Amino acid sequence: MSNTQVNTIVNTQVALGDMQVMASAIVKSGLFGMKTPEQALALMIVASAEGRHPGSVASDYHIIQGRASLKADSMLARFQQSGGRVEWHDHTNEKVSATFSHPAGGSLRIDWDMARAKAAGLGSKDNWKSYPRQMLRARVISEGVRATFPAVLNGMYTPEEVGEFDSPRPTRSVKVEVAPEPVAQAPKLIEVEAVAVSADTTPEPDWAAELEKRIFEHEPKVNTFLIAKGQITEGQTFRDMTDEGYRNRVLSNTPRFIDAVLKEVA
C-alpha cells in the first residue's frame, strides 16, 4: 500500500470520527473567519477529498464575506508541491513580479504594480494603503498559479481577491399597508307582485341558454304577450322591461314562460 493510500485512509478515519468536533473548535476560536461549524465542515470535506488532513483547513483557508478562499501562501505551496517553480524579480511596495513555470502549463511572467492596482480600482482601499506589497504579492501568486497550473486551486481565490468581490446586498424589509376589503352589504329584499306564470317556480337547467335560444325565436309573440300584460308598451321589446320582479321571474322560468306565451298568443 502506497503512502498516499495510507494517508487517505487516515484522513477518512479522522473525518468520520472527529471532523464535527474540529469544526466546532475552529469556529469557537474565531481565528479563521469561519462563522459556523457547517462552513468549517464543508472545507474539511474538500480537504479530505484532496487527500489532506481535515485540520489543514485552519491554515489553508479563510472565509471572507461568507465565501471560502485559499490563502496565497497555501496556493504557492500547493503549486510548488505539484512540481511548479517560481522566480521572484520584484518585491516592493510599488511592484511585485515573478515568473511561474510548471511542466503541465509552461512558463509565464506576472507583474502587478500600484499603477495597475489603481487602474483596477483597488489602490484606494484601506488594505492596499496599509499593506501594498502583501496585496500585490497575493495578486501575483493567484494570477501566476491560475495561469500555469490551475488544478491546485479548485476554483478558489485568495482572501485578498475575495475581499474585493461585491459584498452581498443586505435584504430590506418593506412594510406594505393593505386596506381591508370593504364588507359587502347584504342585498335588500324587495317585495314584488307575483305573476301567475306557473305554480312551479323551480329554475330549469341552463335557463340562460334556453333564453338565448327561445326568446329570440319567438320574440314577436313574447313582445305581444308582454304588451298585453302591461310590462312594455307598443314599440318596445322584452329588453325594455322595467319591472325587475317580473323580469327576474321570467328569466328564472324561461321554458314555462315561453309555453305560456305560445298558448296565449296565436
Side-chain angles (χ1 to χ4, degrees):
M1 183 178 295
S2 67
N3 290 336
T4 300
Q5 291 174 319
V6 171
N7 290 337
T8 300
I9 293 175
V10 171
N11 288 335
T12 302
Q13 291 174 341
V14 172
L16 293 175
D18 299 324
M19 278 205 296
Q20 288 183 326
V21 176
M22 287 191 293
S24 179
I26 288 174
V27 171
K28 289 180 180 179
S29 73
L31 298 177
F32 309 102
M34 300 177 197
K35 303 298 183 183
T36 67
E38 289 75 16
Q39 290 178 338
L41 187 59
L43 291 176
M44 287 180 177
I45 293 172
V46 173
S48 294
E50 295 174 342
R52 303 174 187 275
H53 191 283
S56 66
V57 300
S59 59
D60 288 352
Y61 294 94
H62 207 290
I63 300 293
I64 304 294
Q65 296 177 0
R67 299 181 176 95
S69 61
L70 183 62
K71 297 176 182 179
D73 288 341
S74 298
M75 280 189 182
L76 185 58
R78 294 185 182 189
F79 177 73
Q80 293 173 322
Q81 289 168 2
S82 69
R85 298 183 62 184
V86 59
E87 180 183 357
W88 295 99
H89 307 300
D90 301 283
H91 201 263
T92 69
N93 287 338
E94 292 299 322
K95 182 179 180 180
V96 174
S97 62
T99 297
F100 294 80
S101 58
H102 194 281
S107 179
L108 183 66
R109 175 166 174 156
I110 303 297
D111 294 87
W112 267 86
D113 55 24
M114 291 305 296
R116 182 180 177 187
K118 290 177 181 178
L122 305 173
S124 61
K125 297 181 179 295
D126 291 340
N127 283 344
W128 284 85
K129 291 179 180 179
S130 302
Y131 311 104
R133 186 176 69 254
Q134 290 87 335
M135 300 299 286
L136 290 170
R137 182 175 182 274
R139 292 282 172 163
V140 168
I141 292 174
S142 178
E143 184 175 344
V145 173
R146 200 177 306 280
T148 54
F149 195 62
V152 299
L153 301 182
N154 289 327
M156 292 286 184
Y157 289 86
T158 66
E160 291 80 6
E161 290 176 303
V162 173
E164 305 297 342
F165 292 170
D166 291 336
S167 301
R169 295 184 178 180
T171 57
R172 295 186 301 172
S173 60
V174 179
K175 183 178 181 181
V176 179
E177 294 185 1
V178 180
E181 291 288 338
V183 180
Q185 295 182 352
K188 296 181 179 180
L189 298 178
I190 302 177
E191 294 184 1
V192 296
E193 180 182 356
V195 178
V197 175
S198 171
D200 183 3
T201 60
T202 303
E204 294 287 340
D206 291 329
W207 61 263
E210 191 70 21
L211 174 68
E212 291 292 330
K213 176 181 177 182
R214 301 191 66 181
I215 284 287
F216 290 105
E217 181 182 353
H218 303 287
E219 182 173 347
K221 293 183 180 181
V222 169
N223 293 337
T224 300
F225 179 84
L226 293 175
I227 291 172
K229 295 296 183 181
Q231 296 298 318
I232 58 176
T233 60
E234 289 291 343
Q236 293 182 320
T237 68
F238 71 92
R239 301 177 187 84
D240 300 311
M241 284 190 295
T242 58
D243 188 335
E244 294 296 332
Y246 188 88
R247 182 183 179 88
N248 289 340
R249 291 181 65 81
V250 169
L251 295 179
S252 63
N253 294 278
T254 301
R256 299 185 188 281
F257 169 74
I258 295 298
D259 290 341
V261 169
L262 295 179
K263 288 179 181 179
E264 187 166 329
V265 181

